[in-house]
Amino acid sequence: MAPRAKKPVDPERQLMIKVKACQRLIKEAAFYVTELKENEDKLDKMKQEKRDVYDIKYFDDVVGESRMMVPDSQARMKKNVEDLEIFLDSNRSNLNAEGEWMTAASSLLSEQQGVKSSEDVVSETNVEGLKDGEDF
């Protein structure tokens, strides 16, 4: 049996796949953040109720695993969003500017820009009331 001839990949289909992957990873990252918060709350409740030491230790391990998943999922999400941006920049002329997936990609990227800019905000410490040599 002869191998199939490779068809050129449709940019619209690639866009759809990339947008869906980004949407899935954004939801996944948000889920892990929520799960971590819930698990931390449950662990605190277990400690307050003075549950069995082994149960608390086991659940502390669960919380630790949740903590590890948050940066991993956020890194995968950011990488896919960056891949989508690069894809759009290099294939914009081959894509339907008014298409469903182009609209979805644009809104997704603008939402992520909003998230990025809010993460980049650094508040300054007010040091006006401090005397010379005094720590804050």
Side-chain angles (χ1 to χ4, degrees), residues 28-37 66 69-70 73 76:
E28 184 179 292
F31 171 78
Y32 281 123
V33 169
T34 304
E35 180 185 50
L36 176 61
K37 176 72 173 128
S66 294
M69 290 307 295
V70 170
S73 63
R76 285 185 287 132

Side-chain angles (χ1 to χ4, degrees), residues 93-107:
S93 61
N94 299 330
L95 297 168
N96 178 5
E98 302 299 319
E100 170 188 3
W101 295 110
M102 182 62 111
T103 305
S106 297
S107 66

Side-chain angles (χ1 to χ4, degrees), residues 48-79:
Q48 289 173 356
E49 294 173 352
K50 297 188 177 162
R51 293 265 187 98
D52 187 41
V53 176
Y54 296 106
D55 290 341
I56 292 173
K57 183 178 178 342
Y58 173 77
F59 206 75
D60 191 38
D61 292 342
V62 170
V63 171
E65 289 177 18
S66 294
R67 279 192 189 108
M68 289 188 298
M69 290 307 295
V70 170
D72 177 59
S73 63
Q74 289 175 339
R76 285 185 287 132
M77 176 197 64
K78 288 177 184 177
K79 182 187 180 310

